[in-house]
Amino acid sequence: MDMTFRGAARRLDDIDLPKLGARIGVGEDEMHAFLDVETSGHGFDAVGRPVILFEPHVFYRNLSGAKRAQAVAAGLAYPKWGEKPYPRDSYPRLRAACAIDESAALKSASWGLGQVLGENFKAAGFLTVQAMAEAMMADEALQLGAAIDFIVANRLDDNLRNHDWAAFAKGYNGAGYRKNSYDTRLAEAYRKWSRIKDTPWPSAGPVSSAVVPAAPPEPAKPIAVPQPTAASSAPPVPAARPGLWAALIAAILKLSAILKLSGRK
């Protein structure tokens, strides 16, 4: 893991919010409200690192034995949330924690736009917590996508669609969500953004025929072939062509006339 925690740091495009929100059936206003409350709408800090919050109580529960004792002695771990104030910059703590146990340290930070806790890397769609951290360093769209995966995995998407802010805040931030007024802040942020014009999203309008693949041609209908019956199993006799009978009659009459003339002699 790169201990500078600096990657490509790509920002969201205008279309990313409605595009990602469409994955769970919500609009741009709900996504803006969610981002405003979680990270004030920014996934990277001033030097291009993912916005994080290192949680010593989470580090504590991810350690045991000598490593836990070492972390506690260094002031990096303690049993309960809220025992000590958090510093403005969590990265010095995170680096020091990584020196003790990298995986446990990465699991103990909340990452990016959605502030998804590293412990939840599987629910966020990653095989390892390291892969999650690297995605958080790369792109705000990946940060938001991870948050959406977490929302779906925890069945919170219905709450967001229905604007049940209290249920959503409890599921996303835990039972203590009222201490930080997560539910009321979400409601206020949604009201604010609902008064602002949304970014046009192509899927909401008519689909252009230029991007719709042409329908495959219908297969040709089979031509019915008459089957012979038992009564007509013999090969058919070709029909005579028009004028053949007239020519035959004329030949017979001519022959008859010749015979008569011969008889007179």
Side-chain angles (χ1 to χ4, degrees), residues 234-250:
V237 178
R241 289 178 297 172
L244 180 60
W245 288 110
L248 182 59
I249 292 171

Side-chain angles (χ1 to χ4, degrees), residues 83-137:
E83 288 189 16
K84 299 178 182 179
Y86 290 173
R88 182 180 295 272
D89 184 0
S90 283
Y91 275 102
R93 277 183 167 182
L94 179 60
R95 291 192 192 93
C98 283
I100 296 172
D101 187 308
E102 181 179 279
S103 292
L106 298 176
K107 289 177 183 178
S108 304
S110 299
W111 296 86
L113 282 171
Q115 286 295 279
V116 178
L117 189 64
E119 275 188 330
N120 298 310
F121 66 90
K122 290 183 179 178
F126 300 96
L127 294 177
T128 66
V129 69
Q130 284 82 0
M132 176 178 166
E134 288 171 359
M136 300 300 102
M137 291 156 54

Side-chain angles (χ1 to χ4, degrees), residues 116-117 120 123-125 145-156 171-172:
V116 178
L117 189 64
N120 298 310
I148 289 173
D149 286 341
F150 176 83
I151 288 169
V152 172
N154 288 275
R155 300 180 181 179
L156 301 175
Y172 199 86

Side-chain angles (χ1 to χ4, degrees), residues 18 21 38 49 56 64 88 123 134 144 149 152 170 175 177 193 196 212 217 222 225:
E38 288 300 325
R49 302 171 302 185
S64 61
R88 182 180 295 272
E134 288 171 359
L144 186 53
D149 286 341
V152 172
K170 182 178 180 180
Y177 69 94
W193 284 103
I196 300 172
V212 178
V225 178

